[in-house]
Amino acid sequence: MQSVNEVQLKINDYNDTIFEWIPYYQIVDIKDLSNTIYLAKWKDGPLYWNGKVYTRNLENKAIILKYLVNAQNITNELLDEIIAYYNKVEVYGISQDPDTKYYIIIFNGDQYLENCCVCEKYYTNAKRKWCKPCQINWLKVNFTNWTSENKQINNIIQEVQLKINDYNDTIFEWIPYYQIVDIKDLNNTIYSAKWKDGPLYWNGKAYTRNLENKAVILKYLVNAQNELLDEITAYYNNLQIYGISQKPSTEDYIVVLNQEQYIKIFCNKCTNKYVNTEYKWCEACQKSYLKKKFTNWTSDNKQIDRLIQVMQLKINDVKDIIFEWIPYNQFSDIKEIGKGGFARVYSAKWKDGPLYWNKKKYTRDSNKTVALKCLNNSQNISNKFLNEVEAYSINNLNNTDNSGEILKIFGISQNPDTKDYIMVLQHARGGNFNNWLNNNYKNFNWSYKLKVLNNIINGLKEIHQKQYGIKWRS
Ligand SMILES: [Zn+2]
Ligand SMILES: [Zn+2]
């Protein structure tokens, strides 16, 4: 058995608090918190250094008593237990119950209540007073208060419930069907609805409900009990899943999801995930929209129509260009800006301008300045023409740093007089890239030339990566 003095010496290595023997009569106002933890007051209070001497506040300091039941000796284990608390809670000392002879550890009461649950473990989340072991216990006790009347489903719900890790994790539940009201069909498998009582949330003391008619999304699993786990896993990382319900008339199981989160992530037309959630842009829906419009335009040439269709269906991002057939009468202010052996390049104004996605639909950026590249004698479509068109990029319309990028292509047009086909390109700084290079090269300073060369190499690399063996000439 060690004396309090020995303990005092060891403990004082760990903390500035003076560890003391606290006489039991100093402890008043004892209130039961659990079987071994009591809230109380220490009449004289702990010693503190006032700059000259140690003195006491005589303040009825709030303390926590931890009874060491059956520990009538101060052992090394006891010492370790005390030291272990020092991370978060000040330990003032030891006392002893005169009747039972049980030793009592005395803690700083405020600090203890801030950091420790009544189960005597540190809170998982001290700020929210949320203790994982206690809440897991509470959920387990509750297992008998609900049932889906299907053992497998019960097991799934229990398993997911016990995965909680913090106060704001969703408690996955069995939601009785009568709790779900105001059901509206969104498409065949997705419904919007309200959940009368709403989900459980942690209010700092207990789990409770808002009784708020919470907006939810119902996903019906038609005869698909086996798909249930896959469905839950698929959603689990993306949004809050409140639980499972079952429609009594059909016995179909229903996954109940947070509506607010759902509509941000999933397309409300086709239930696919948005490629771009900020812009609510769904690749599948936009491709089928473009496909439906294939009959609304034609170049009067099957090969060109086919090319435009292929280019349109290459989109996979909100900022991609919708490649189009652009009637020649859309262009005005046509000025020649470059001429080569095989082509002429013009700047022009495109009246309606290219399509862009405004978060709801495609609309046009009118009076856009573009470059028209007319290949000489291109009345007949050659593979060279087709390859060159495909080598231009439709990716990322909004990327305005044109210096090193392959030019973007908006579509194809045709000169009605000469019948020559025209590539409608992004109007780069200084005009068409090739033209710009030819006309201005002699004016460049050397470091700028190197930068331009580097950009050309990068551009060529991109072409080679796309496996088009295109040479840049005008
Ligand atoms: Zn606890
Ligand atoms: Zn969609």
Side-chain angles (χ1 to χ4, degrees):
M1 180 170 167
Q2 303 179 57
S3 72
V4 169
N5 284 347
E6 282 175 280
V7 176
Q8 195 167 8
L9 283 175
K10 286 186 185 176
I11 299 264
N12 284 347
D13 287 342
Y14 290 87
N15 198 287
D16 294 335
T17 312
I18 303 294
F19 187 87
E20 297 182 82
W21 176 259
I22 300 161
Y24 193 77
Y25 67 84
Q26 277 281 326
I27 301 169
V28 293
D29 239 356
I30 301 176
K31 281 174 198 144
D32 198 347
L33 291 184
S34 76
N35 286 333
T36 53
I37 299 289
Y38 297 80
L39 183 63
K41 288 195 174 128
W42 176 4
K43 277 199 270 183
D44 288 355
L47 284 165
Y48 76 98
W49 181 252
N50 70 2
K52 286 178 187 162
V53 290
Y54 279 103
T55 179
R56 294 187 196 273
N57 260 344
L58 312 171
E59 57 185 330
N60 282 320
K61 180 83 185 173
I63 53 172
I64 286 287
L65 316 181
K66 179 175 177 178
Y67 273 69
L68 301 167
V69 179
N70 296 326
Q72 278 106 338
N73 293 327
I74 297 176
T75 60
N76 277 329
E77 287 77 42
L78 172 57
L79 203 57
D80 289 344
E81 195 177 336
I82 294 169
I83 290 167
Y85 275 105
Y86 265 92
N87 294 325
K88 287 175 182 170
V89 183
E90 235 179 338
V91 182
Y92 289 140
I94 294 179
S95 188
Q96 189 177 31
D97 187 311
D99 300 329
T100 61
K101 305 290 179 205
Y102 290 152
Y103 282 104
I104 305 165
I105 307 179
I106 313 286
F107 296 96
N108 176 324
D110 301 325
Q111 282 182 8
Y112 189 97
L113 292 174
E114 253 170 48
N115 290 292
C116 300
C117 176
V118 286
C119 73
E120 297 178 31
K121 295 188 180 76
Y122 289 129
Y123 283 121
T124 317
N125 186 322
K127 207 176 158 196
R128 304 286 174 169
K129 304 229 173 292
W130 191 85
C131 168
K132 181 169 163 177
C134 279
Q135 297 322 317
I136 295 270
N137 272 341
W138 175 76
L139 287 168
K140 282 183 179 165
V141 168
N142 245 332
F143 282 173
T144 51
N145 293 343
W146 55 266
T147 180
S148 69
E149 281 161 19
N150 174 310
K151 206 177 164 194
Q152 208 188 336
I153 299 284
N154 284 352
N155 285 342
I156 291 171
I157 294 171
Q158 291 176 6
E159 199 182 307
V160 179
Q161 278 194 350
L162 299 184
K163 282 183 182 168
I164 49 161
N165 258 322
D166 208 344
Y167 82 99
N168 56 359
D169 285 351
T170 311
I171 306 288
F172 188 82
E173 296 182 85
W174 175 254
I175 301 166
Y177 193 74
Y178 68 82
Q179 277 283 326
I180 299 169
V181 293
D182 234 355
I183 301 175
K184 284 174 195 143
D185 197 349
L186 294 184
N187 64 38
N188 287 329
T189 55
I190 301 288
Y191 294 77
S192 80
K194 299 235 160 85
W195 174 7
K196 278 200 267 180
D197 288 355
L200 287 165
Y201 75 97
W202 178 252
N203 71 4
K205 283 181 182 163
Y207 279 101
T208 179
R209 296 184 197 273
N210 261 342
L211 312 172
E212 56 185 331
N213 283 319
K214 182 81 184 173
V216 292
I217 288 284
L218 310 179
K219 175 147 191 200
Y220 282 71
L221 304 170
V222 182
N223 302 322
Q225 190 187 319
N226 295 336
E227 284 173 25
L228 193 55
L229 254 187
D230 293 341
E231 282 284 332
I232 293 167
T233 324
Y235 283 119
Y236 206 71
N237 295 324
N238 293 312
L239 73 165
Q240 269 183 313
I241 317 173
Y242 291 133
I244 304 172
S245 190
Q246 187 180 31
K247 190 173 180 176
S249 56
T250 60
E251 297 196 345
D252 288 338
Y253 285 104
I254 304 166
V255 181
V256 182
L257 304 159
N258 178 320
Q259 185 179 119
E260 201 186 330
Q261 291 177 351
Y262 183 93
I263 58 174
K264 278 183 194 155
I265 300 171
F266 293 92
C267 176
N268 56 10
K269 286 188 186 125
C270 71
T271 75
N272 279 313
K273 249 173 118 170
Y274 287 124
V275 170
N276 186 310
T277 49
E278 190 197 336
Y279 284 86
K280 292 193 181 302
W281 192 85
C282 169
E283 182 174 339
C285 279
Q286 296 322 319
K287 281 186 174 166
S288 75
Y289 164 80
L290 290 171
K291 268 188 194 164
K292 266 184 216 151
K293 293 212 143 191
F294 280 174
T295 52
N296 292 6
W297 53 266
T298 179
S299 66
D300 291 325
N301 176 304
K302 272 189 183 159
Q303 236 184 323
I304 292 284
D305 283 357
R306 179 82 199 123
L307 170 71
I308 293 170
Q309 291 173 5
V310 168
M311 293 290 279
Q312 285 195 347
L313 298 184
K314 276 186 181 178
I315 52 162
N316 55 27
D317 187 81
V318 62
K319 287 172 182 166
D320 285 350
I321 293 166
I322 307 291
F323 188 89
E324 293 182 273
W325 174 253
I326 305 163
Y328 193 76
N329 62 14
Q330 279 282 320
F331 301 113
S332 61
D333 279 346
I334 302 173
K335 287 174 202 144
E336 189 174 282
I337 53 172
K339 193 176 10 174
F342 302 93
R344 286 159 190 263
V345 180
Y346 303 86
S347 77
K349 234 176 217 158
W350 174 8
K351 197 171 89 182
D352 289 350
L355 290 161
Y356 72 95
W357 181 255
N358 72 0
K359 294 195 180 183
K360 279 184 183 157
K361 60 181 174 45
Y362 277 102
T363 181
R364 289 188 183 273
D365 178 14
S366 57
N367 289 317
K368 176 100 175 168
T369 302
V370 291
L372 307 179
K373 184 169 178 180
C374 311
L375 296 186
N376 297 340
N377 303 314
S378 60
Q379 299 92 336
N380 300 315
I381 308 299
S382 65
N383 284 334
K384 178 177 169 293
F385 177 82
L386 297 177
N387 286 341
E388 184 166 346
V389 166
E390 287 205 49
Y392 284 108
S393 174
I394 60 155
N395 296 132
N396 207 350
L397 172 66
N398 292 1
N399 190 339
T400 50
D401 175 21
N402 304 324
S403 56
E405 301 260 330
I406 292 180
L407 293 183
K408 310 290 165 41
I409 188 160
F410 292 117
I412 299 176
S413 188
Q414 187 180 31
N415 184 319
D417 302 326
T418 64
K419 304 289 179 200
D420 281 338
Y421 284 104
I422 299 166
M423 293 176 220
V424 182
L425 304 172
Q426 183 181 39
H427 193 279
R429 182 161 48 117
N432 177 279
F433 181 79
N434 303 314
N435 172 64
W436 175 50
L437 184 67
N438 290 337
N439 289 347
N440 301 326
Y441 197 69
K442 56 185 173 293
N443 301 328
F444 292 171
N445 65 38
W446 268 109
S447 69
Y448 200 61
K449 272 180 201 170
L450 286 172
K451 194 177 168 224
V452 170
L453 272 175
N454 197 29
N455 290 338
I456 293 169
I457 291 163
N458 289 337
L460 285 174
K461 260 190 217 152
E462 197 179 325
I463 291 172
H464 282 296
Q465 279 159 5
K466 289 182 175 174
Q467 297 188 323
Y468 301 125
I470 303 303
K471 288 194 181 108
W472 286 83
R473 315 174 270 230
S474 56

